[in-house]
């Protein structure tokens, strides 16, 4: 395999991200006091007593735009080698400012070639700084001129990939990889982009399926005229949740969790899947009761009353011999599935009257 040189002029590849800084090369700020690199020599004259300033000013003006830009490129390359990427960006930017953008009539002129080199180098430094938008901007005119440019394609695709845009990265890499089939870095980047694209598609498929399941459940409840609601702080039900026998078919068997509460004993049982259309509460009470903690033998399938709190704060007696769906129909919209389950209070018949009275008194106080 042939390795793609990442940087022009023999510069080493720059890893992306923060790095320990070696001794700094002169910064643009300090170089701004050197006539060749000054933005304004007249400003410098007001802050220095250098007797040779006039001679240096004349020397600076003798340089052609190409020479000035070349010097900035050299300084930028040195800064990039030293991992001083922010300084490198500034040097390359000043070099670009010294040149006019190349015209379409003379794309291969020396100034045009230098201009494109400065753009390419600045993209490399911005890539190291994770300034991905700037990388894409700097490589755009290079790729517009030559879609197969390996360095421009590599940097632009790397930026798109860092922004989780594998389609854009693959589109850029396509032409360059075809023109340079042995470019190792392009092939590796294409592999990463394909892997990310596949991962994103799988995630979108899972999200779409999850949404379809939710919509099917909503339709199933609606068709059965069962109200549902989610509170601000829903409880954790582990793996218990409403489900359909066929996840995407609202007409298939619907199951819901039912939480049995024993308020006089401060105990509870969770029925994770009660078939709404077929199951009766009594069928489940047959194997749950009597519970192991019932030392007095008060909780038997035929010796308890079952109640559910209505949407208005009252109590509804739940029949144990009718299907759950029928319980909801008889409630006429006053019974709901809250946070994905139904709560049913189970009370010994002998204590039902006193418990109901206490429940209503508490509800009245809360209503005030």
């Amino acid at each position: 395999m042939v390795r793609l040189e990442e940087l022009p002029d023999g510069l080493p590849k720059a890893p992306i991200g923060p790095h320990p800084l070696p001794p700094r090369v002169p910064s643009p700020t300090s170089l701004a006091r050197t006539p060749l690199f000054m933005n304004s020599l007249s400003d410098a004259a007001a802050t220095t007593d250098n007797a040779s300033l006039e001679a240096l000013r004349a020397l600076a003006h003798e340089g052609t735009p190409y020479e000035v830009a070349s010097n900035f490129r050299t300084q930028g390359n040195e800064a990039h080698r030293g991992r001083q990427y922010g300084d490198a960006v500034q040097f390359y930017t000043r070099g670009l400012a010294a040149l006019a953008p190349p015209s379409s009539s003379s794309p291969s002129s020396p100034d045009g070639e230098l201009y494109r080199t400065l753009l390419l180098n600045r993209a490399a430094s911005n890539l190291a700084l994770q300034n991905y938008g700037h990388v894409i901007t700097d490589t755009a005119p290079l790729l517009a001129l030559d879609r197969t440019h390996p360095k421009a394609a590599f940097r632009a695709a790397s930026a798109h990939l860092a922004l989780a845009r594998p389609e854009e990265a693959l589109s850029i890499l396509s032409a360059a990889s075809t023109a340079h089939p042995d470019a190792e870095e392009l092939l590796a980047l294409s592999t990463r982009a394909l892997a990310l694209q596949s991962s994103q598609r799988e995630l979108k498929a899972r999200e779409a399926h999850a949404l379809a399941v939710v919509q099917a459940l909503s339709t199933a409840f609606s068709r059965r005229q069962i109200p549902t609601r989610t509170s601000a702080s829903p409880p954790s039900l582990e793996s218990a949740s409403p489900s359909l026998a066929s996840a995407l078919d609202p007409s298939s068997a619907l199951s819901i969790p039912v939480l049995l509460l024993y308020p006089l004993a401060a105990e509870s049982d969770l029925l994770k899947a009660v078939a709404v259309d077929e199951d009766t509460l009594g069928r489940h009470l047959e194997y749950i009761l009597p519970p192991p903690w019932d030392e007095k033998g008060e909780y038997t399938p035929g010796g308890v009353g079952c109640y559910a709190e209505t949407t208005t704060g009252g109590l509804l007696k739940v029949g144990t011999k009718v299907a759950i769906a029928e319980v909801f129909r008889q409630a006429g919209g006053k019974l709901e599935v809250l946070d994905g389950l139904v709560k049913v209070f189970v009370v010994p018949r002998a204590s039902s009257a006193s418990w109901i009275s206490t429940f209503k008194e508490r509800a009245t106080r809360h209503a005030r």
Side-chain angles (χ1 to χ4, degrees):
M1 301 293 283
V2 177
R3 289 188 58 80
L4 170 68
E5 288 297 332
E6 295 285 332
L7 297 172
D9 301 331
L11 291 183
K13 181 192 295 186
I16 300 174
H19 303 277
L21 298 179
R24 296 174 63 86
V25 298
S27 69
T29 302
S30 63
L31 281 177
R33 294 190 291 270
T34 302
L36 184 57
F37 303 107
M38 285 179 181
N39 291 323
S40 175
L41 293 177
S42 59
D43 291 342
T47 59
T48 180
D49 296 325
N50 188 347
S52 303
L53 182 60
E54 291 301 325
L56 292 173
R57 180 186 290 113
L59 178 61
H61 283 289
E62 286 180 0
T64 65
Y66 183 92
E67 291 169 342
V68 173
S70 293
N71 274 290
F72 278 124
R73 179 187 62 177
T74 299
Q75 293 296 329
N77 290 353
E78 291 177 1
H80 190 102
R81 285 193 192 94
R83 295 181 178 176
Q84 298 167 23
Y85 304 121
D87 287 348
V89 167
Q90 292 187 50
F91 285 125
Y92 295 137
T93 299
R94 292 190 177 187
L96 289 164
L99 296 171
S103 65
S104 57
S105 60
S106 56
S108 301
S109 66
D111 282 14
E113 292 291 346
L114 179 56
Y115 192 92
R116 284 186 287 275
T117 297
L118 288 165
L119 282 177
L120 193 63
N121 289 12
R122 188 169 67 175
S125 295
N126 272 318
L127 187 60
L129 291 170
Q130 302 180 20
N131 294 333
Y132 302 124
H134 293 303
V135 176
I136 294 169
T137 299
D138 279 347
T139 54
L142 304 176
L143 292 171
L145 184 65
D146 179 7
R147 293 179 58 221
T148 68
H149 195 300
K151 296 174 186 177
F154 179 86
R155 288 165 196 169
S158 295
H160 280 294
L161 199 55
L163 294 172
R165 300 171 181 169
E167 285 79 12
E168 289 86 343
L170 288 169
S171 176
I172 290 170
L173 289 167
S174 176
S177 297
T178 301
H180 306 278
D182 293 329
E184 190 174 303
E185 288 89 344
L186 294 179
L187 294 174
L189 199 60
S190 295
T191 300
R192 286 177 52 204
L194 287 169
L196 179 58
Q197 183 186 57
S198 175
S199 176
Q200 287 182 344
R201 287 178 177 175
E202 290 176 2
L203 177 60
K204 287 181 180 179
R206 289 196 298 272
E207 290 175 344
H209 178 76
L211 178 60
V213 168
V214 171
Q215 291 173 338
L217 276 172
S218 177
T219 301
F221 281 118
S222 178
R223 288 180 180 177
R224 292 166 173 83
Q225 298 181 350
I226 299 176
T228 61
R229 182 167 62 91
T230 302
S231 68
S233 302
S236 174
L237 299 179
E238 301 174 353
S239 59
S241 63
S243 62
L244 289 164
S246 178
L248 302 181
D249 182 5
S251 63
S252 64
L254 172 64
S255 297
I256 61 173
V258 174
L259 181 62
L260 300 179
L261 300 171
Y262 310 97
L264 298 182
E267 296 285 352
S268 65
D269 283 308
L270 176 63
L271 308 176
K272 291 188 175 183
V274 176
V276 168
D277 300 315
E278 300 176 357
D279 265 355
T280 65
L281 193 57
R283 187 180 77 80
H284 293 277
L285 293 180
E286 288 291 339
Y287 65 82
I288 289 178
L289 301 181
W293 43 262
D294 179 23
E295 297 179 355
K296 297 181 180 180
E298 297 178 304
Y299 292 84
T300 62
V304 296
C306 297
Y307 307 88
E309 185 175 2
T310 66
T311 56
T312 57
L315 279 176
L316 174 73
K317 188 170 183 177
V318 178
T320 59
K321 296 182 179 181
V322 297
I324 300 298
E326 182 61 25
V327 172
F328 278 98
R329 279 192 288 271
Q330 292 176 0
K334 293 183 179 180
L335 183 61
E336 66 182 357
V337 175
L338 178 61
D339 295 328
L341 82 161
V342 175
K343 295 179 182 178
V344 176
F345 298 102
V346 182
V347 182
R349 292 190 187 279
S351 305
S352 292
S354 61
W355 177 79
I356 292 172
S357 178
T358 301
F359 183 95
K360 289 181 177 180
E361 290 176 2
R362 187 182 301 114
T364 301
R365 286 198 301 271
H366 288 169
R368 293 174 183 173

